[in-house]
Amino acid sequence: MSSLRVRFAPSPTGMFHVGSARSALFNWILAKQSGGTFVLRVEDTDDARNQPEWTQGILDALAWLEVSPTDPAFEGPYYQSANVEAHVSAAHRLADIGAAYYCDCTRDDLVARTGHEKHGYDRYCRDRGLTAGPGRALRFRVPEGSSVVSDLIRGDVEFEHASMEDFVVLRGNGSPLFLIANVVDDITHRITLVVRGEEHFPNTPKQQLMWQAFGETPPVWAHVPVLVNEARKKLSKRRDKVALEQFRDEGFVMDAMRNYLMTLGWTPKGDAEIVPWADMVRDFSLADVVSSPAFFDLKKLAAFNGDYIRAMAPADFVAACEPWLAAWRDAHPGHRWSQDTFIRMAPFVQERAVTLADAPGTIDFVMLDEPVFDTEARTKVMNDTARALLADVIAAFATAEWEAETLKTTVEEIGATHGLKRGPAQGPVRLAVTGRLVGPPLYEPLVILGRGETIARLRALLAWEPTE
RNA sequence: GCCCCCAUCGUCUAGUGGCCUAGGACACCACCCUUUCAAGGUGGCGGCACGGGUUCGAAUCCCGUUGGGGGUGCCA
């Protein structure tokens, strides 16, 4: 494939939609594969919405995905709203050559004439020869016949022009609409391939007609399937969790996110879905993208994330957890943080974490003077057997060799004298030390805590009485 | 209403007329391992929406039905 000019055109909404992220990835790969260019265009015809922080949010999100603004393949950002004059003059050109006409009909006029709320424009002003003027919109004169949209993903689709209304390109106040602005910008940026969401498909024949009216060759189109929620509705900002930033903040790692996004509508070669980015860049092809909507499955994303976390080098994992650990420290003023201790505990965390945000909650008990108790579990577990067991463990721990394997054997043997198997036997001990019944392996943290503190915690739980 | 798209396990998908008694991944279940919870290992459950064609042969091609989705703004 020759050098492509693709464009990624998000609208500035204050957050980066996962669907946009997937589009960005597809476009980026296509640009890289062809040695072409990735053009970023911030699309909003209203200048007021092109806020710097929103643009920065887009740039940050792209950088997180390693779609880098400093890469030679990256061009932009361009602002649609900065190009309004070109949009307007292009529209005027359409009027000059007779490809568009002025219209002073209001919605009410139309409904009054046709008797239908939902039907399209009835072409009333088509041949009235109206000139430009206040309150007069400019409409594109859709010709007779039909258009074929050739789509890399969907094949050739024919649209009858008769079913297409004479759409507005310039408002009554003279400002351009998205439909034409988009076409003019694509022409000025010399875009050769448009990859965008399926929701734009019905607009494509209209845009293609405009390209032709301008005497230009339309780009190649590729409409990727929409992302849907469990109700199979298009993923929406209002209803669903869709902000890439939110996933990032909740501890999803970039590689997992990127890999998962790529599998929505496309599958890597072979049986594995988790594959290196380089392989995806090498193998991706629009021809292999499916055309049916894809459900954005949080569970599968979580599984991918756990997989990627487990694959990290230990030191990388420790570093990656830091933002969440720092937040935990801020939230727990009484902490006694030790980086060395965390590094010793990290393998236990890495083995079972779903997200990086799970890290603090797994090891907090070694960083606090007292564990945070699961009160329900405490009430349930603390019966006479548990008390007797704890008393025996305290006595044995006073002299036992302070080493994980020995402590384990000690607890198991004492448990046996109370008729408990090794699982149940460690329950009260785990509860005393960690505050919970589930968590990382127990005896290694005991070694870290030391004899004195371990026994103090065991005594504290033994002394505890239900309040009611 | 009109236009367009889509339809394989619960989910994401492989499959482009014989390699399909339909393969993988996530989820779920069981077992193994085990220091609780995980992780890991092994196995299992589970699908071509329906009806007609075409063909020696159809998940695959055609038509219809049904279901789902998108669009239909002087929104982007």
Side-chain angles (χ1 to χ4, degrees):
Chain A
M1 200 180 282
S2 58
S3 180
L4 254 25
R5 286 184 63 85
V6 300
R7 43 65 121 185
F8 174 61
S11 60
T13 56
M15 58 109 202
F16 201 79
H17 195 288
V18 289
S20 286
R22 184 186 57 162
S23 247
L25 255 19
F26 283 3
N27 275 300
W28 184 247
I29 288 178
L30 263 1
K32 293 303 249 181
Q33 279 179 347
S34 69
T37 308
F38 174 96
V39 179
L40 171 64
R41 190 166 67 233
V42 179
E43 289 206 330
D44 200 305
T45 53
D46 181 357
D47 205 31
R49 289 187 62 199
N50 288 331
Q51 300 291 332
E53 68 265 30
W54 290 349
T55 305
Q56 194 53 51
I58 291 170
L59 259 14
D60 289 347
L62 287 173
W64 188 59
L65 294 169
E66 290 178 1
V67 173
S68 171
T70 60
D71 191 287
F74 193 103
E75 191 178 303
Y78 295 110
Y79 293 90
Q80 185 171 69
S81 57
N83 213 16
V84 176
E85 281 175 34
H87 306 150
V88 171
S89 69
H92 288 163
R93 210 160 358 118
L94 252 21
D96 292 344
I97 62 175
Y101 60 89
Y102 288 94
C103 165
D104 61 1
C105 301
T106 64
R107 189 78 214 168
D108 289 344
D109 294 340
L110 181 61
V111 173
R113 277 202 300 272
T114 63
H116 294 284
E117 288 284 346
K118 295 240 170 189
H119 290 189
Y121 182 62
D122 64 356
R123 302 180 172 178
Y124 179 78
C125 293
R126 223 178 207 223
D127 301 306
R128 288 176 65 207
L130 257 31
T131 53
R136 289 180 179 175
L138 184 65
R139 288 184 181 273
F140 188 84
R141 188 189 302 272
V142 175
E144 299 291 305
S146 64
S147 284
V148 173
V149 173
S150 293
D151 188 283
L152 254 24
I153 295 172
R154 274 143 224 286
D156 291 353
V157 180
E158 185 173 7
F159 291 85
E160 294 292 339
H161 292 174
S163 68
M164 232 183 279
E165 68 172 328
D166 285 350
F167 53 94
V168 173
V169 295
L170 238 39
R171 295 185 181 88
N173 66 9
S175 64
L177 268 91
F178 161 78
L179 211 57
I180 189 170
N182 190 265
V183 168
V184 172
D185 288 343
D186 281 349
I187 290 171
T188 57
H189 295 143
R190 308 187 322 281
I191 299 303
T192 57
L193 169 64
V194 172
V195 180
R196 61 191 351 179
E198 183 192 2
E199 64 271 24
H200 293 286
F201 198 51
N203 281 332
T204 310
K206 296 178 186 174
Q207 296 195 309
Q208 200 164 265
L209 248 16
M210 282 191 274
W211 278 79
Q212 287 157 353
F214 288 128
E216 302 281 346
T217 306
V220 174
W221 310 99
H223 289 88
V224 302
V226 291
L227 263 26
V228 299
N229 60 21
E230 46 289 302
R232 303 216 67 84
K233 299 271 195 245
K234 188 169 75 163
L235 235 43
S236 95
K237 179 184 171 182
R238 289 192 50 189
R239 236 185 351 233
D240 309 300
K241 180 165 137 188
V242 297
L244 193 71
E245 298 91 332
Q246 193 185 347
F247 286 104
R248 191 228 286 141
D249 295 347
E250 289 178 4
F252 285 87
V253 301
M254 186 280 280
D255 300 87
M257 193 71 203
R258 190 169 61 175
N259 195 153
Y260 179 64
L261 252 14
M262 287 300 294
T263 66
L264 260 17
W266 178 76
T267 329
K269 308 283 170 228
D271 280 346
E273 288 187 315
I274 294 185
V275 297
W277 175 243
D279 291 4
M280 291 191 271
V281 172
R282 186 194 59 212
D283 296 336
F284 179 77
S285 165
L286 281 173
D288 297 330
V289 173
V290 302
S291 44
S292 47
F295 170 57
F296 191 83
D297 188 348
L298 277 333
K299 278 192 175 172
K300 190 155 182 176
L301 206 213
F304 272 46
N305 205 53
D307 229 277
Y308 270 96
I309 284 178
R310 248 140 262 136
M312 291 168 92
D316 291 343
F317 175 70
V318 169
C321 288
E322 181 49 28
W324 290 272
L325 300 173
W328 179 86
R329 274 180 242 126
D330 289 346
H332 296 80
H335 73 78
R336 49 178 206 211
W337 181 264
S338 155
Q339 188 67 14
D340 287 343
T341 300
F342 179 68
I343 290 170
R344 287 172 74 181
M345 293 292 289
F348 302 137
V349 182
Q350 185 169 6
E351 201 169 70
R352 66 205 76 220
V354 173
T355 70
L356 296 172
D358 294 339
T362 309
I363 51 86
D364 59 352
F365 67 95
V366 291
M367 305 295 187
L368 254 18
D369 289 335
E370 285 177 10
V372 179
F373 277 98
D374 173 343
T375 54
E376 202 178 312
R378 183 168 56 184
T379 306
K380 200 180 102 196
V381 167
M382 288 309 290
N383 53 26
D384 291 343
T385 309
R387 284 167 204 286
L389 176 103
L390 279 179
D392 289 351
V393 170
I394 290 165
F397 275 15
T399 57
E401 184 194 353
W402 207 249
E403 182 269 329
E405 197 54 35
T406 310
L407 297 177
K408 171 176 179 262
T409 314
T410 304
V411 170
E412 282 175 13
E413 282 170 358
I414 293 172
T417 67
H418 293 277
L420 296 172
K421 292 184 176 170
R422 60 189 177 189
Q426 75 160 278
V429 178
R430 174 179 290 281
L431 182 68
V433 175
T434 73
R436 295 177 213 111
L437 250 24
V438 298
L442 179 61
Y443 301 101
E444 289 81 355
L446 254 41
V447 173
I448 292 171
L449 281 171
R451 192 192 305 271
E453 175 144 15
T454 299
I455 290 175
R457 290 189 182 193
L458 293 170
R459 283 195 174 127
L461 181 60
L462 184 56
W464 173 79
E465 296 289 345
T467 42
E468 60 196 279

